[in-house]
Amino acid sequence: EDEVVESKSKSVVLSQVQRRRDLNDRIIARVRAEQKQKAEAVRLNDMGPPVDLSDLAERLSVRCMSGDDFEDKFELKGRLGRGAFGVVLLYLDKSSNENVAVKSIEITQHIKNHDSLERATEEVNSLVGSTKREIEALSKLKGCPNIISLLDVFVQDEDSIRICTEACSVSLYSIMRTQSLSLSQVQAIAVGAVLGLEAI
């Protein structure tokens, strides 16, 4: 009887030891997975864009510009807003002495938002596709009185896409937030929007 009890005790101890080993194995596997994920994220941050920016500029049919050349051409005046893919800043074009709006799409920032090269590449390719469609649409609509004009597009310092357009003195959103519009003003805005859609 003592032998049976001893055998059961050993069995319980062995079972507990095995459970602890299994738990330790799961913890080690989880830690290793987290370390691998962090290492991949660091590698992505260090490696730069997964696409060649000279190829990117070619795909967008635009030129490249260095940061120094950009600062020689433009003077930062302020921030206009933020969109889904980047920030829009107000600059003074030194050559024409006119204000322009520049949308900056930071490619490396989109890479850092993903933990694998495959997803980062997909994001950049999607970004390039949507940017190219935007450029093509604005190019076709250049000169339409109810749509902002595209002035320039370029890739800067293997880091960002810059889309330069004419700057509006005020946005419809800010008007709607700060003013009470009359019926005639609403009608004028609606007519402008319809004319813009007609051009598209």
Side-chain angles (χ1 to χ4, degrees), residues 146-147 172 187-200:
N146 298 91
I147 298 174
L172 177 59
Q187 289 173 336
I189 292 169
V191 168
V194 169
L195 291 174
L197 290 171
E198 184 181 36
I200 296 173

Side-chain angles (χ1 to χ4, degrees), residues 83 97 109 116 126 133 139 144 186-187:
N97 203 35
Q109 186 59 48
S116 75
S126 173
R133 288 190 294 273
S139 297
C144 293
V186 172
Q187 289 173 336

Side-chain angles (χ1 to χ4, degrees), residues 56-75:
L56 176 63
E58 185 179 331
R59 287 165 64 185
L60 293 172
S61 300
V62 301
R63 61 196 172 90
C64 293
M65 179 183 284
S66 70
D68 291 338
D69 289 341
F70 184 83
E71 289 180 5
D72 288 342
K73 183 173 174 57
F74 299 104
E75 178 185 341

Side-chain angles (χ1 to χ4, degrees), residues 148-173:
I148 58 171
S149 293
L150 178 67
L151 302 176
D152 201 358
V153 184
F154 48 89
V155 171
Q156 182 184 332
D157 287 344
E158 300 188 359
D159 181 56
S160 63
I161 302 169
R162 308 272 193 178
I163 301 176
C164 180
T165 65
E166 63 179 333
C168 298
S169 58
V170 67
S171 70
L172 177 59
Y173 178 68

Side-chain angles (χ1 to χ4, degrees), residues 18-90:
Q18 187 61 46
R19 280 200 299 270
R20 285 176 185 164
R21 283 178 181 170
D22 291 343
L23 179 60
N24 285 339
D25 289 343
R26 287 197 297 270
I27 292 172
I28 290 169
R30 187 188 310 162
V31 169
R32 284 178 178 167
E34 289 174 355
Q35 288 174 341
K36 184 178 179 181
Q37 188 176 13
K38 288 177 182 177
E40 177 72 359
V42 169
R43 186 177 71 83
L44 284 170
N45 287 343
D46 292 342
M47 70 179 292
V51 291
D52 180 6
L53 268 260
S54 60
D55 176 63
L56 176 63
E58 185 179 331
R59 287 165 64 185
L60 293 172
S61 300
V62 301
R63 61 196 172 90
C64 293
M65 179 183 284
S66 70
D68 291 338
D69 289 341
F70 184 83
E71 289 180 5
D72 288 342
K73 183 173 174 57
F74 299 104
E75 178 185 341
L76 180 62
K77 305 294 285 185
R79 174 172 168 153
L80 294 175
R82 185 171 188 84
F85 295 117
V87 65
V88 182
L89 301 173
L90 179 67

